[in-house]
Amino acid sequence: MLRDSFGRVATDLRVSLTDKCNLRCTYCMPPEGLDWLPKPELLTADEIVRLVTIGVERLGITEVRYTGGEPLLRRELVDIVARTTALSPRPQVSLTSNGIGLARLAEPLAAAGLDRVNVSLDTLDPGTFKRLAHRDRHADVIAGLAAADAAGLRPVKINAVLMRGINDHEAVPLLRWALGQGYELRFIEQMPLDAQHGWSRADMVTADEILRLLSDAFDLTPDDLEERGSAPAERFLVDGGPDRVGVIGSVTRPFCGACDRVRLTADGQVRNCLFATEESDLKTAMRAGASDDELAERWLAAVARKRAGHGIDDPAFLQPARPMSAIGG
Ligand code: SAM
């Protein structure tokens, strides 16, 4: 098992399929985009499936989430999902996406065995979307959400990041809309992972603030029936339930003590934490002919070194060199 020195066991693998994205959300990357990884640096579909297979068959991974960048931009996505759901023991397989292209791909992905999808949507207003993401694609995201729901990729979850002065007035309308559609909304605190290093604690809309905003319109009670466990979202019943909303206070309410995640970047680096400053290079080892046993050993060693916490509150905190889009959120 992928056990660290504090006894935490990683069972949830986040795999970035590409660092490219077709949006430019301001909390993630600059409007002009980034220098994408050169193609030879990217793991091939076969290499991805080989590493995921080692994770599932030898290292106790029970959940695989494909992300990016934007995973729908990866041409082999449906094939990769199908090969992942064919593994034994079969892991849960999910996707984090901006939803653009999901209208076309939700059905094939469901047929390949995809279990669930998280779609990012920060606003109900197409104009605000364009301002925030620098692309006029709001309608595509809404269509993608509907297609995911129709394809049975439920519960369809929505991730929303609130930014002060941009969309923080939308907490209540977003929740009202999501509940009306039957989607499960989770608000995520903005984290210091943007390529521009523009994050500031003062500007971040905190979990406390989000809960205060929502409490103006809804009666929220902690969902005691749902053990938070390793789940990052604190969940609340809305107006007595059964509807719920989640708040992910990665910065102000960290859940590192219960973290069960490990990440694989699109260029084959294992990261034991979103905020890790060190990585373990499985790609070079694999391309130099390492056996499955050797790759598993490297992976075990990488997780064993995981730090106790992300350390954002530490005065010596250093933002990782890779931005969120290149890590895989
Ligand atoms: N492109 C896909 C998407 O939009 O969901 C997957 C990758 S994206 C990096 C994954 C999630 O990370 C999205 O929900 C996005 O809003 C979130 N995200 C990106 N940068 C963030 C930041 N600085 N703080 C908090 N969440 C962030």
Side-chain angles (χ1 to χ4, degrees), residues 237-305:
L237 295 174
V238 180
D239 294 337
D243 292 328
R244 294 189 185 87
V245 62
V247 178
I248 304 182
S250 316
V251 179
T252 64
R253 301 178 176 199
F255 35 89
C256 305
C259 177
D260 63 355
R261 309 220 153 110
V262 61
R263 294 182 149 81
L264 181 65
T265 65
D267 57 343
Q269 311 293 310
V270 169
R271 295 180 62 88
N272 59 24
C273 173
L274 205 46
F275 295 94
T277 47
E278 281 179 13
E279 303 180 332
S280 182
D281 183 358
L282 295 191
K283 180 190 67 190
T284 304
M286 180 162 51
R287 291 185 179 172
S291 66
D292 286 359
D293 278 345
E294 285 162 345
L295 293 170
E297 281 306 321
R298 279 174 179 263
W299 200 334
L300 284 161
V303 171
R305 290 194 292 270

Side-chain angles (χ1 to χ4, degrees), residues 16 18 20-23 25-29 66-72 95-99 118-122 158-161 186 188-195 199 250-251 274-275 319 323-329:
S16 173
T18 174
K20 278 191 192 149
C21 193
N22 39 10
L23 295 182
C25 303
T26 43
Y27 47 73
C28 194
M29 65 170 83
Y66 288 113
T67 178
E70 176 45 49
L72 295 181
L95 186 74
T96 299
S97 164
N98 62 27
N118 282 35
V119 174
S120 307
L121 177 69
D122 303 322
I158 297 183
N159 295 341
V161 177
R186 301 123 43 90
I188 309 178
E189 275 179 351
Q190 189 185 347
M191 295 177 276
L193 286 170
D194 57 312
W199 180 87
S250 316
V251 179
L274 205 46
F275 295 94
Q319 186 172 332
M324 181 69 133
S325 58
I327 296 173

